[in-house]
Amino acid sequence: NTALHWAASQDHDTLITSLLDLDVDINVRNESGSTPLILAAANACARSVGTLLAAGADAGLRTRSELTAADLAETRRMEEQSVDVQAAYARVLALLRGSKRTTLTPPPEEAPSLMSHVQAELRETKDRLAVLQGDLGKALASKARVDGELQVAQKALASVTQERNSAKADVASLQSQVEQVTKKLADKSERLAKVEGEAGEVRANLASSQQRCASAEMEA
């Protein structure tokens, strides 16, 4: 059984709708020749039957035992003892008998046109696939180019980062040298001030000595 067979037999109409949106074959058969509609009818799944019929399921298809969905539903209804289940089969039969779609087999004269239509769709699909493959090739080439540009940019960024770190180291070295020179200048200024103080004392002592000599000469 396919996923659609399982969903139909479990009365899971939401899953049936989702599967049909994926364009699965609504009349796909299992090994016994049963379609999803046949399994839904055999299991009294009225919601599944209604959903499948609304989507275009063929109520006239038969199993390998030549039984239609309505045949199986009627047989099971006659065998069932539960009144509720019998009522469920009755709802299924009402839906099947109200369906206007009984076969998907086209008349013989329409078969060639149908085949031509299928072949045209196949060619169109192949053309679209070729276009998509071309677009994919372009996208891959563009990605490779972008990856190359990204690698170049990363290398440039690494080089700039290295130069910035080197410049920071140079600035730090210059700052250290400036601090050393400033300290030396401060030391020299301090020694100069000390020398100037000592020179002032010498000049004062010299002036005092000269004054005493002048006084001694005057007394003599």
Side-chain angles (χ1 to χ4, degrees):
N1 288 336
T2 65
L4 188 58
H5 282 97
W6 181 87
S9 66
Q10 300 299 314
D11 212 18
H12 203 317
D13 55 334
T14 302
L15 180 56
I16 292 173
T17 302
S18 298
L19 291 170
L20 293 178
D21 288 340
L22 298 176
D23 293 331
V24 300
D25 184 1
I26 195 172
N27 294 308
V28 60
R29 295 177 183 270
N30 60 14
E31 293 182 355
S32 66
S34 296
T35 64
L37 179 63
I38 290 174
L39 286 187
N43 288 279
C45 298
R47 288 185 303 177
S48 294
V49 170
T51 300
L52 290 167
L53 288 174
D58 191 340
L61 297 179
R62 298 175 180 272
T63 65
R64 296 186 186 279
S65 301
E66 293 298 317
L67 295 173
T68 65
D71 293 335
L72 281 172
E74 181 63 34
T75 300
R76 296 283 180 87
R77 186 179 71 84
M78 298 297 295
E79 296 173 350
E80 184 58 49
Q81 300 297 320
S82 170
V83 176
D84 292 337
V85 178
Q86 287 181 354
Y89 277 115
R91 289 194 295 273
V92 168
L93 287 168
L95 290 169
L96 291 171
R97 289 166 181 167
S99 173
K100 296 181 180 180
R101 188 176 182 84
T102 58
T103 180
L104 290 179
T105 304
E109 63 273 11
E110 293 184 7
S113 61
L114 178 60
M115 181 62 68
S116 299
H117 178 68
V118 171
Q119 290 175 342
E121 288 187 346
L122 180 60
R123 287 193 298 270
E124 183 179 352
T125 301
K126 288 181 177 179
D127 291 340
R128 288 200 300 268
L129 179 60
V131 172
L132 290 174
Q133 288 175 335
D135 292 342
L136 177 60
K138 293 178 181 179
L140 291 174
S142 177
K143 180 180 181 299
R145 183 173 63 255
V146 171
D147 288 343
E149 294 174 352
L150 178 60
Q151 290 178 356
V152 171
Q154 289 174 338
K155 290 180 180 180
L157 178 60
S159 177
V160 170
T161 302
Q162 184 177 2
E163 292 176 357
R164 184 183 63 182
N165 293 336
S166 177
K168 285 183 177 180
D170 292 342
V171 169
S173 177
L174 290 173
Q175 287 177 340
S176 177
Q177 293 176 14
V178 168
E179 290 175 357
Q180 292 176 2
V181 171
T182 301
K183 185 178 181 181
K184 289 179 180 180
L185 287 175
D187 291 342
K188 289 182 179 181
S189 295
E190 185 178 353
R191 288 198 298 270
L192 180 60
K194 185 177 181 180
V195 170
E196 288 178 347
E198 292 176 350
E201 291 178 358
V202 170
R203 285 194 294 271
N205 291 334
L206 178 59
S208 178
S209 296
Q210 289 176 347
Q211 186 177 6
R212 284 199 299 271
C213 286
S215 297
E217 288 178 354
M218 290 178 63
E219 291 177 354

